[in-house]
Amino acid sequence: MRKLIARLQGDAGMNTAEYAVGTLAAVAFAGILLKVLTSGNVQSALTAVIDRALK
């Protein structure tokens, strides 16, 4: 029980620097994902998959 109490009283969650790094990583990932999904090859592949699904 003491270990649990000590663990709950410790550093909980992320601090500001960790939030900044996490946010930056999420934005970078979103940018890369957007670039990949808007490329011609991926759009063609997605369109083909959707066309096959609707037929």
Side-chain angles (χ1 to χ4, degrees), residues 32-47:
I32 292 169
L33 186 61
L34 179 66
K35 198 70 166 168
V36 168
L37 290 177
T38 57
S39 71
N41 292 338
V42 174
Q43 282 187 347
S44 297
L46 290 175
T47 302

Side-chain angles (χ1 to χ4, degrees), residues 5-55:
I5 292 172
R7 191 172 177 191
L8 292 175
Q9 290 175 344
D11 186 23
M14 295 191 298
N15 63 31
T16 304
E18 290 169 332
Y19 277 117
V21 171
T23 302
L24 183 62
V27 169
F29 180 73
I32 292 169
L33 186 61
L34 179 66
K35 198 70 166 168
V36 168
L37 290 177
T38 57
S39 71
N41 292 338
V42 174
Q43 282 187 347
S44 297
L46 290 175
T47 302
V49 168
I50 292 169
D51 284 343
R52 280 189 223 136
L54 293 177
K55 290 183 181 182

